[in-house]
Amino acid sequence: MNEPISVKLNQLLENTKLFLTLYNVKKQWQTVYPAVCKLSEQYRELYEQYPVALQARCAVFNPKYSYSVNLVINQCVLTAALCKSQQYNNQLSELYICAALVDHLCVGEQLNKLSKQLKFSDSDKRIWQLRHQLTAKIILTGGDSAKPITQVLAKLTKYKQALVTTPKIMLYDGGITLVAIANIIAMNITYSPSKQHISLFKALGDLYIRTPNLFAQQLIKFLIAHIGPLLPGSRVIYNDQLMVYLASDNQQRHILINVENKNKIAWYRVKALLNSNAIQWQSNDSRIQISVWDSEHITSTANILNNGSLALIELISRLKLQHEYSYKALSQIMAPYPNVIENLCEAVKPYNNEHQAAKSLKHSLSMVGYFNAPAIIQRVIFEQLVKVTPHPLQQFVLTRLECIVEIIALLVSKNKMIQFEHIALPLYGYAYFLLTQCSTHISRKIMIDETPNTTLNTPISAFFGVSSLDTEQLKAQLTLLLSDNPWAIALLEAEHLPKKQLNERSKLWVAIKALTQTVFKPQLKLSTWQQQILDQQLTTQKWENHHLFNEQLQELALSNTI
């Protein structure tokens, strides 16, 4: 039997308070990382089920807890809401909630002083200045798995400053931007009798106007759309009575309560234009804080899966590379996917002299030929699959992916026996794997050792900031998506087989990765054996000389596209 929402909510708040005390006992520091992981999971799960119950934390200050605890709760709720508005996966959401939970781990006492406008001692100032370094030291007792949290904390203060600074400062990590926004808004909205705080919507509006960062503005717009015009827990006037807004039902009727009677809550379900006062207010009433959310009037939110990704994966599995389809067969397969057909019409531009888009599926197929069509269609679907997989670095992943695809296309352009899309398809599958299974490790860094490996080749993941991954899981996914594509097996072999065991297809992948390294990390020289394989493959792919290839590679200007 499911626990009442009031029990889950109360446990979450109490666990947050307890978690924030771990810093005070050095013997407990080793428990911080497992505790924060568990607590972030609780926030994410409860937000998915009952978002209004958690959103109300941003409207109602609980005097049972200190200012610092209320602040952290607000920041975690805002982080969960931002992640949900972006449809980030569980791993990403929990990472950013973890960062929100530990952001103020070492400065609870100092935050409470700030709320009372008390002066900091020299010790307070030192702790405040070093708070993130100290927190990183504590959570790293949990091992390397805690590193993604410390990477967020390391840049958080700089990102906060950059978000409200003009002229524009480039911010490259969308995840840290998200955590910084939650921090700024929480600091502005958390109730304090001695300092002025503002409503959630005013805080969001002020930051939207003030920040020069376009991604931050996008996050704010999505968050406002996600929460809606009324903040749960905020006070409203209806029929000249002061009431509390809780939620809206499927028919856009607002659920309100009047708590003037201490023995009984009066419930209202109304269709009216309400002006809420979304500024956080203090209430000792446990009914408003906890028990009201057990009502049958408040329903759980169904967890909506990303069906778009599942549909695209199913479509990929239905298209076989080695099969020549008729127009009728392809038309039947593609009919439920008008967006894919539209994207295909754009993708076939390079296949005609006028570089014009096709007007229909039939026109597209006539331009590329029915034998070539399955690979080209699969490429279009994979591109769409990457685009519909939410990630704060999605645009970076897509851009770098397209750059490597351009390298592949150029390398095999003179070999009429190879259709470059066949080679590129496993790369798209690999990128999708990184977005879904390694989402918390993707970064703009290129994770290649400065000392050349004399036996193994650089993995593709290194160009997306991922230093290690589950190769068996990668193999299973690529096999599932591309069971009839021999280049998928070749890619996997090029990742882990020593150089002496590589076949010609795997060596082509080694050459592709070597060229990618020369483009994006030119200061790092290739190993002798990588250079030998690259030279051999240029000859195999019918390039007359290296100079001609390098000239055309430079013309692509790939180093300027990231």
Side-chain angles (χ1 to χ4, degrees):
M1 184 176 178
N2 289 333
E3 285 183 313
I5 179 63
S6 61
V7 174
K8 292 181 180 180
L9 181 57
N10 189 60
Q11 284 178 345
L12 181 65
L13 302 181
E14 288 294 319
N15 288 345
T16 304
K17 177 187 175 183
L18 182 63
F19 170 76
L20 294 173
T21 65
L22 294 177
Y23 166 70
N24 299 321
V25 185
K26 194 169 183 178
K27 291 180 180 179
Q28 297 292 324
W29 285 6
Q30 62 185 357
T31 67
V32 168
Y33 178 65
V36 76
C37 291
K38 182 63 178 175
L39 193 53
S40 67
E41 183 183 27
Q42 289 177 321
Y43 268 100
R44 179 190 58 78
E45 289 179 348
L46 191 56
Y47 192 89
E48 285 183 351
Q49 294 174 326
Y50 293 94
V52 291
L54 279 182
Q55 289 169 13
R57 302 309 102 201
C58 295
V60 188
F61 183 95
N62 193 337
K64 178 181 175 182
Y65 306 117
S66 66
Y67 169 84
S68 60
V69 174
N70 275 279
L71 173 67
V72 171
I73 291 169
N74 288 342
Q75 190 168 331
C76 290
V77 171
L78 288 166
T79 304
L82 283 161
C83 290
K84 191 64 178 176
S85 72
Q86 295 297 306
Q87 295 186 321
Y88 290 160
N89 65 19
N90 296 350
Q91 292 77 19
L92 277 174
S93 299
E94 289 173 19
L95 168 62
Y96 300 142
I97 296 170
C98 279
L101 279 164
V102 300
D103 184 10
H104 303 296
L105 177 65
C106 303
V107 289
E109 183 181 334
Q110 288 71 29
L111 281 171
N112 292 330
K113 282 187 177 182
L114 271 180
S115 72
K116 298 171 183 176
Q117 295 188 326
L118 299 176
K119 287 186 177 180
F120 276 8
S121 66
D122 290 341
S123 176
D124 291 330
K125 292 176 183 177
R126 188 164 56 253
I127 292 173
W128 185 268
Q129 187 175 9
L130 300 174
R131 65 193 185 279
H132 288 152
Q133 292 96 312
L134 182 55
T135 301
K137 179 181 177 182
I138 293 170
I139 61 174
L140 281 174
T141 58
D144 288 347
S145 55
K147 281 185 177 179
I149 304 175
T150 64
Q151 289 165 356
V152 174
L153 292 180
K155 298 180 180 178
L156 187 55
T157 299
K158 291 181 179 178
Y159 270 58
K160 284 173 57 183
Q161 293 169 350
L163 284 174
V164 293
T165 300
T166 52
K168 183 177 180 180
I169 298 173
M170 294 302 294
L171 301 177
Y172 295 102
D173 193 309
I176 304 176
T177 301
L178 182 150
V179 177
I181 289 173
N183 176 291
I184 293 169
I185 300 303
M187 293 289 286
N188 280 315
I189 70 169
T190 303
Y191 172 86
S192 173
S194 59
K195 73 179 185 70
Q196 193 173 8
H197 62 288
I198 58 179
S199 75
L200 173 65
F201 297 122
K202 177 169 174 47
L204 290 170
D206 287 351
L207 182 57
Y208 182 87
I209 293 169
R210 189 175 178 186
T211 184
N213 186 273
L214 295 177
F215 183 71
Q217 290 180 332
Q218 180 186 347
L219 286 172
I220 291 168
K221 287 195 290 186
F222 273 84
L223 178 61
I224 292 173
H226 170 68
I227 293 174
L230 298 170
L231 177 64
S234 58
R235 293 178 290 186
V236 298
I237 302 294
Y238 179 71
N239 277 354
D240 297 325
Q241 296 181 69
L242 183 62
M243 300 188 186
V244 179
Y245 166 78
L246 297 183
S248 298
D249 63 18
N250 293 331
Q251 298 175 23
Q252 296 304 307
R253 294 177 300 178
H254 305 310
I255 301 168
L256 312 176
I257 58 169
N258 188 321
V259 292
E260 287 185 2
N261 186 334
K262 293 184 178 181
N263 298 318
K264 186 179 180 181
I265 296 177
W267 289 81
Y268 299 84
R269 196 182 292 262
V270 303
K271 259 198 172 180
L273 183 63
L274 300 174
N275 291 319
S276 73
N277 181 8
I279 194 166
Q280 193 172 49
W281 58 289
Q282 184 174 229
S283 175
N284 287 300
D285 194 330
S286 62
R287 296 174 299 173
I288 295 173
Q289 293 285 0
I290 301 292
S291 61
V292 73
W293 303 104
D294 282 335
S295 169
E296 69 275 7
H297 300 294
I298 310 297
T299 57
S300 172
T301 303
N303 189 19
I304 301 172
L305 296 172
N306 190 349
N307 292 324
S309 297
L310 297 177
L312 292 173
I313 290 170
E314 182 186 354
L315 179 56
I316 290 169
S317 66
R318 293 180 64 188
L319 287 166
K320 301 302 178 185
L321 290 182
Q322 310 305 328
H323 185 81
E324 186 172 352
Y325 294 88
S326 65
Y327 168 71
K328 182 178 180 181
L330 281 174
S331 180
Q332 289 176 342
I333 293 172
M334 302 282 288
Y337 308 94
N339 288 340
V340 176
I341 295 175
E342 185 179 339
N343 292 335
L344 177 63
C345 291
E346 287 292 322
V348 297
K349 281 182 178 180
Y351 291 87
N352 69 77
N353 294 331
E354 290 78 22
H355 210 73
Q356 292 181 342
K359 296 178 182 179
S360 64
L361 174 61
K362 192 169 189 176
H363 188 198
S364 299
L365 298 174
S366 66
M367 288 167 66
V368 302
Y370 283 82
F371 181 76
N372 296 327
I376 296 169
I377 294 171
Q378 276 200 2
R379 181 191 172 192
V380 170
I381 301 167
F382 267 119
E383 282 182 346
Q384 195 165 327
L385 185 60
V386 172
K387 288 177 181 177
V388 300
T389 305
H391 193 283
L393 289 175
Q394 180 201 62
Q395 189 55 51
F396 156 73
V397 171
L398 188 61
T399 304
R400 181 144 293 178
L401 178 62
E402 289 172 347
C403 289
I404 302 174
V405 170
E406 286 193 59
I407 291 171
I408 295 172
L410 177 63
L411 180 58
V412 301
S413 59
K414 294 185 179 296
N415 189 341
K416 303 307 177 186
M417 301 300 293
I418 296 178
Q419 183 183 353
F420 92 90
E421 283 92 354
H422 284 241
I423 308 172
L425 289 175
L427 185 64
Y428 283 101
Y430 198 126
Y432 178 67
F433 176 84
L434 294 176
L435 283 169
T436 54
Q437 305 302 321
C438 305
S439 57
T440 60
H441 297 281
I442 292 174
S443 75
R444 294 174 182 270
K445 291 181 180 179
I446 295 178
M447 307 299 287
I448 302 177
D449 290 335
E450 296 297 322
T451 305
N453 193 315
T454 57
T455 306
L456 296 175
N457 192 227
T458 300
I460 290 288
S461 62
F463 298 107
F464 298 89
V466 180
S467 57
S468 62
L469 48 73
D470 187 331
T471 53
E472 287 302 314
Q473 196 176 10
L474 172 63
K475 181 180 179 180
Q477 181 158 307
L478 289 184
T479 303
L480 176 67
L481 294 174
L482 299 159
S483 59
D484 65 334
N485 188 326
W487 291 100
I489 298 170
L491 171 57
L492 292 169
E493 290 176 346
E495 295 277 287
H496 67 271
L497 285 183
K499 57 186 179 183
K500 292 182 179 179
Q501 296 180 30
L502 299 175
N503 59 26
E504 282 304 308
R505 283 198 174 107
S506 299
K507 286 179 180 178
L508 181 56
W509 273 114
V510 171
I512 291 164
K513 289 188 282 184
L515 288 169
T516 304
Q517 180 177 317
T518 61
V519 169
F520 296 116
K521 204 162 184 177
Q523 70 276 21
L524 185 60
K525 290 185 177 181
L526 299 176
S527 65
T528 303
W529 76 275
Q530 285 176 312
Q531 188 65 55
Q532 288 173 347
I533 289 180
L534 176 57
D535 294 344
Q536 174 197 338
Q537 284 300 313
L538 285 171
T539 303
T540 302
Q541 302 309 322
K542 307 187 186 308
W543 284 91
E544 295 176 7
N545 58 69
H546 296 194
H547 180 71
L548 179 61
F549 176 82
N550 288 333
E551 275 188 350
Q552 294 196 25
L553 182 63
Q554 287 181 351
E555 287 175 6
L556 295 177
L558 299 180
S559 58
N560 298 323
T561 61
I562 298 298

